[in-house]
Amino acid sequence: MAEELLRMGIRVEHDIFTVRQAGREVAGIVGLEHQDQIRVATALSEIGRQMFALAGGAAVSFHADGPPPVLLIEVLATAQAQDGLAGALESVGRLVDLTFGDRDGAALVSLTRRLPLGSDALGPGWADGIRAQLGGLEPTSPYRELIVQNDHLLATLGEVQRQRDELLRLNAELEETNRGVMALYTQLSEELEETNRGVVALYAELDKRSAQLREANEAKSRFLANVSHELRAPVTAIIGLTRLLTDAESDPLTGGQGDQIDLIESSAADLLVLVNDLLDLAKAESGRLEPRWEEVRLDRLLGQLEATSQPLVTRPEVRLVVECGDDVPVVVTDGMLLTRVLRNLVTNALKFTEQGHVRVSCVWHAADATVELAVEDTGVGIGPAETERIFEEFYQVRGPRRTGGTGLGLPYARRVAEVLGGSLTVRSESGVGSTFTVVLPQVPPPDPGPPGGRVGHVLVVDDDPAFRAVVVGAVRDDAERVSQAANGRQALEMIADDRPDAIFLDLRMPELEGERVLATLAADEGLRTIPVVVVTGVPPDEGPEHAVAMVAKDRATPETLRAALRTAVGGDFP
Ligand code: ADP
């Protein structure tokens, strides 16, 4: 319920100042802050002025209302409502909330202002308290009100000035921050560029190193193959000659000579084993070992292995057991090579087992279509530090007992298992025993590399040097030569000079985009047939017409890139 706080009239012009003053004071007493007091006072004096001009006078009443607590000021014209009042007070509406109406035919303007008080402030004594304070109000004169108004104006100007200064300061601060951000951005870009350069250099270094390694390894294999070859002829000659000497038809030898000849023969035989092992290994490593794929029944293969290995069991305390699961299907592999691997493992197992058993088993894993062939023994075992080293050439575990051998058997066996598309691993515990496991696919994987050997000249086009390095690294082994272009324009120049056999092409590049390169190739009879692998960060809805294969950059791995190259040059693999 609205409580009236004060009522006054505007009858002469002078009263407008009094109303203005009252507005300000009431606003102050009910708790409005300084800026709001000026708003209310200014609005009220303007309403009063307009009412006086249009209707000749008005009654002004101040009320407290709520909840929520508000100050309500009503200005009621003393005469008939006049048109144009709302229009004349439009600017006042920006200072305070105004509503226009009429009461008994007279114009009524209501001004409301929300008070910064809680609803509990509206207790019964509230309005009385305000009224008591208002009772002490001294009426003002136009002159004094003008001075007050001036003071307010100056204060407002001061406030505006202060706000403008604040704005300038904020602007300067913002500019400063912007400069900071720009500097940071530049620094980050430079760092990124630096890092990129580093990565590219690293890739180049890696490329160089792996090329050197490959060369060194090839040289080693060549050396082994040549030396073994050269050695084999004289060693077989020595063996032949010793046999001749001990032949019954030959002249008889003295007892001592016979013994010496026997020693020569057995040494030569050892040497021949070493030379043959070296030759096998060199052949397996040089990639010249070509499996002859055939369908193999593993139960039969293991049966034969058992028959030929039983004579190697020389201790009565050791049993050789061979078992093969009933569900093992026919596999496609090279039976001869696989037998050599297994015989190698069985020979070792028997050599290093004094008692217990050597068990050969064969288990089918349907889930990944592989067979697991294990040779398990209860022999001396191998310490953890040496389980991988035994696959190194010539490595033999030092023991109390010389067991003979060359240290070439396991590296050879592992290499052959890999040539067959499988793997050879070992689990072992010193003093307990060892299990060597060959895992083979049921069907060997397709021959890696493009059909018909390598692709001639591959051109890699991408503006990102790091990504170019990735592609180059991935396809280098499949290509005779790889060249690079950093943008479409450069690519077209290089293609015109030296026609590549396949192209890796990035679509988004500065200086002529990949699509334009494709279009240019498609328009040229001689270039139209070059297979193109499109490599793109954002895959288009459908591949460009001329592209033979596509690789999304986020899925580019050496495998996907090589597979795409094979697809592009007409391989059978996806
Ligand atoms: P070699 O048998 O001719 O010495 P390998 O390459 O076949 O060469 O084996 C390398 C070494 O690995 C052996 O000298 C031996 O120390 C260790 N080794 C191989 N098989 C076994 C096994 N079943 N138990 C214990 N040690 C083994």
Side-chain angles (χ1 to χ4, degrees):
M1 184 57 208
E3 290 254 13
E4 189 172 286
L5 303 173
L6 181 68
R7 169 177 288 274
M8 54 208 309
I10 300 176
R11 280 172 292 271
V12 291
E13 208 166 2
H14 179 128
D15 292 338
I16 297 170
F17 292 100
T18 317
V19 164
R20 187 180 198 283
Q21 181 209 12
R24 192 180 66 247
E25 310 254 354
V26 171
I29 290 170
V30 296
L32 288 176
E33 60 173 44
H34 187 69
Q35 291 286 335
D36 269 358
Q37 295 170 22
I38 297 174
R39 279 168 191 269
V40 169
T42 309
L44 203 52
S45 90
E46 188 58 15
I47 297 167
R49 209 172 58 78
Q50 293 293 344
M51 285 285 202
F52 186 73
L54 291 168
V60 183
S61 54
F62 296 79
H63 311 264
D65 203 358
V70 290
L71 172 66
L72 167 68
I73 306 171
E74 291 185 336
V75 186
L76 182 67
T78 41
Q80 199 69 25
Q82 297 281 333
D83 289 342
L85 187 62
L89 293 177
E90 199 188 320
S91 59
V92 179
R94 274 184 237 122
L95 289 179
V96 288
D97 283 338
L98 289 186
T99 49
F100 296 90
D102 67 300
R103 183 174 294 158
D104 305 326
L108 174 69
V109 178
S110 310
L111 178 163
T112 35
R113 194 82 193 155
R114 180 83 207 267
L115 299 181
L117 302 167
S119 292
D120 54 349
L122 309 179
W126 183 54
D128 289 340
I130 296 175
R131 273 192 288 266
Q133 290 187 55
L134 284 172
L137 270 189
E138 290 279 323
T140 184
S141 70
Y143 175 67
R144 266 183 50 204
E145 187 56 24
L146 203 64
I147 292 177
V148 172
Q149 206 169 332
N150 256 346
D151 281 351
H152 289 164
L153 202 62
L154 283 174
T156 310
L157 276 177
E159 176 65 12
V160 169
Q161 180 68 38
R162 199 186 60 71
Q163 284 185 3
R164 220 191 22 223
D165 289 351
E166 176 70 6
L167 203 64
L168 282 175
R169 192 184 63 73
L170 280 178
N171 258 344
E173 220 170 68
L174 200 66
E175 229 165 73
E176 186 61 32
T177 314
N178 263 351
R179 262 199 300 279
V181 170
M182 278 312 290
L184 198 68
Y185 179 80
T186 316
Q187 191 190 341
L188 277 179
S189 315
E190 276 165 12
E191 260 167 38
L192 193 69
E193 220 178 294
E194 186 64 30
T195 313
N196 271 351
R197 265 199 299 277
V199 170
V200 172
L202 209 62
Y203 263 104
E205 180 67 24
L206 259 177
D207 283 354
K208 208 172 89 191
R209 283 283 146 81
S210 56
Q212 283 170 349
L213 259 178
R214 215 173 28 242
E215 274 165 27
N217 204 36
E218 278 166 13
K220 182 202 71 180
S221 296
R222 256 198 323 275
F223 171 77
L224 283 182
N226 289 341
V227 168
S228 326
H229 229 72
E230 298 302 317
L231 280 177
R232 196 145 66 153
V235 174
T236 38
I238 292 171
I239 293 174
L241 288 172
T242 54
R243 291 213 177 115
L244 256 182
L245 280 174
T246 51
D247 194 90
E249 312 267 294
S250 305
D251 293 339
L253 302 167
T254 66
Q257 283 172 333
D259 291 345
Q260 285 158 1
I261 295 288
D262 283 348
L263 272 179
I264 292 176
E265 191 185 345
S266 82
S267 297
D270 282 351
L271 197 55
L272 189 61
V273 170
L274 173 65
V275 169
N276 281 337
D277 280 0
L278 271 176
L279 252 184
D280 282 345
L281 185 67
K283 204 167 162 194
E285 292 223 317
S286 66
R288 277 181 289 127
L289 197 65
E290 287 193 358
R292 292 173 44 174
W293 303 114
E294 57 190 341
E295 296 200 335
V296 174
R297 288 193 49 175
L298 289 175
D299 51 349
R300 289 200 192 151
L301 184 141
L302 290 183
Q304 280 165 7
L305 180 75
E306 182 178 15
T308 51
S309 300
Q310 280 301 352
L312 303 176
V313 185
T314 49
R315 299 186 183 95
E317 303 86 2
V318 177
R319 250 176 353 115
L320 173 67
V321 189
V322 177
E323 27 187 52
C324 184
D326 293 337
D327 58 343
V328 177
V330 170
V331 299
V332 177
T333 188
D334 182 324
M336 270 249 296
L337 287 179
L338 179 59
T339 303
R340 284 175 86 169
V341 172
L342 294 174
R343 192 190 312 287
N344 224 308
L345 300 178
V346 171
T347 310
N348 274 349
L350 288 169
K351 196 159 65 174
F352 294 103
T353 305
E354 307 227 296
Q355 56 178 348
H357 64 253
V358 171
R359 175 179 290 119
V360 184
S361 60
C362 177
V363 178
W364 167 241
H365 293 290
D368 55 356
T370 55
V371 281
E372 186 182 311
L373 293 142
V375 178
E376 180 225 331
D377 67 52
T378 54
V380 294
I382 303 153
E386 292 177 297
T387 44
E388 267 312 303
R389 296 214 60 190
I390 54 172
F391 292 100
E392 289 172 15
E393 289 138 26
F394 299 110
Y395 192 85
Q396 294 182 307
V397 177
R398 281 209 199 134
R401 197 158 59 81
R402 270 289 300 156
T403 49
T406 57
L408 291 173
L410 287 177
Y412 172 72
R414 175 172 269 185
R415 195 66 205 114
V416 172
E418 286 166 0
V419 168
L420 296 179
S423 62
L424 169 61
T425 52
V426 64
R427 261 183 315 113
S428 186
E429 198 178 324
S430 215
V432 177
S434 318
T435 305
F436 287 81
T437 308
V438 178
V439 175
L440 283 186
Q442 190 194 7
V443 178
D447 188 17
R454 310 203 299 175
V455 190
H457 171 200
V458 175
L459 173 64
V460 180
V461 192
D462 198 309
D463 56 320
D464 177 359
F467 194 78
R468 280 205 308 270
V470 171
V471 180
V472 172
V475 303
R476 194 191 31 223
D477 281 350
D478 291 342
E480 267 152 30
R481 193 151 57 87
V482 185
S483 52
Q484 308 181 32
N487 59 53
R489 195 174 307 285
Q490 196 187 349
L492 285 178
E493 281 168 19
M494 289 176 68
I495 292 168
D497 263 6
D498 179 9
R499 184 185 188 280
D501 299 302
I503 302 175
F504 277 87
L505 181 66
D506 179 26
L507 282 191
R508 300 272 162 274
M509 286 180 299
E511 297 250 352
L512 205 65
E513 293 207 341
E515 272 112 350
R516 297 278 304 282
V517 176
L518 282 174
T520 312
L521 294 181
D524 186 315
E525 189 123 3
L527 304 178
R528 193 176 299 161
T529 48
I530 303 178
V532 179
V533 179
V534 164
V535 189
T536 169
V538 210
D541 293 342
E542 53 187 55
E545 233 174 85
H546 189 61
V548 193
M550 281 229 283
V551 179
K553 273 197 176 171
D554 56 355
R555 254 181 277 141
T557 61
E559 289 75 34
T560 54
L561 291 166
R562 295 178 63 201
L565 177 63
R566 287 201 293 273
T567 310
V569 297
D572 307 327
F573 322 118

